[in-house]
Amino acid sequence: MSNVARIGILTVSDRASLGEYEDKGGPAIHEWLTQAIKNPWEAVARIISDDEALIEATLRELSDDEACCLIVTTGGTGPAPRDVTPEATEKVCSKMLPGFGELMRSVSLASVPTAILSRQTAGVRGQCLIINLPGKPAAIAECLHAVFSAMPYCIDLIGGAYLETNPEFCAAFRPAGAGRG
């Protein structure tokens, strides 16, 4: 088994999946994670349309078949009719972690009043943490900075790959005596 952590980066966008719009969210997630994660990791990236069944299937594939310890989605978290990423996430997860969404919205509200419309969430599927982020690169960075310190320990708790962070960029919090994954 490889010591390289696998991380899914899922862009959910009708226009980006058709090539009508440049995906900026997926690359923003990749760039941020590259700065945050110190140990070897590889991205498993997908760009799909805002279709609930397709989102569910892709989340299952990334978690179950691709063995990702973390899946970070971008897009589909607003109130528009085609924004169904949180619904798909809830359907494939065994446990939901609402604190992630609560903190991300709280932090985003300091920048923009419409952050209250965002429905980011997070949950666990097997040994994989799934987190829904908004679509704009600035909001992605803001939200990841808010929640990332808890993510490696969460992944430890569910038996996923050990993620070591670059503490000068974003330190992970692990309780004393938590041990190494």
Side-chain angles (χ1 to χ4, degrees), residues 105-118 136 139 142:
R105 278 185 294 282
S106 175
V107 167
S108 295
L109 277 169
S111 300
V112 60
T114 55
I116 199 163
L117 302 176
S118 189
K136 300 214 180 307
E142 186 175 68

Side-chain angles (χ1 to χ4, degrees), residues 11-170:
T11 299
V12 180
S13 167
D14 287 332
R15 294 185 303 149
S17 69
L18 295 171
E20 297 172 357
Y21 175 83
E22 179 187 357
D23 172 27
K24 294 181 180 176
I29 291 169
H30 189 277
E31 179 183 334
W32 196 94
L33 292 174
T34 297
Q35 295 176 70
I37 300 173
K38 190 174 182 178
N39 56 304
W41 69 280
E42 71 177 300
V44 184
R46 304 280 187 274
I47 302 175
I48 61 172
S49 65
D50 289 278
D51 176 86
E52 191 170 348
L54 179 58
I55 299 166
E56 289 175 37
T58 306
L59 291 172
R60 284 188 195 101
E61 179 226 346
L62 290 171
S63 172
D64 304 354
D65 302 336
E66 295 290 345
C68 292
C69 66
L70 172 65
I71 300 169
V72 185
T73 74
T74 178
T77 60
R82 297 233 356 121
D83 290 336
V84 294
T85 303
E87 287 80 4
T89 299
E90 288 179 27
K91 285 186 179 172
V92 303
C93 287
S94 60
K95 294 181 180 174
M96 296 307 297
L97 302 169
F100 281 91
E102 293 165 5
L103 180 55
M104 289 187 282
R105 278 185 294 282
S106 175
V107 167
S108 295
L109 277 169
S111 300
V112 60
T114 55
I116 199 163
L117 302 176
S118 189
R119 300 177 310 117
Q120 298 107 307
T121 193
V124 172
R125 177 177 178 85
Q127 295 180 317
C128 181
L129 173 62
I130 301 172
I131 298 184
N132 302 153
L133 297 178
K136 300 214 180 307
I140 287 168
E142 186 175 68
C143 288
L144 281 172
H145 270 291
V147 300
F148 195 79
S149 63
M151 290 167 52
Y153 183 56
C154 179
I155 294 167
D156 292 350
L157 290 171
I158 60 175
Y162 187 84
L163 296 182
E164 187 177 351
T165 61
N166 286 316
E168 63 279 356
F169 183 75
C170 184

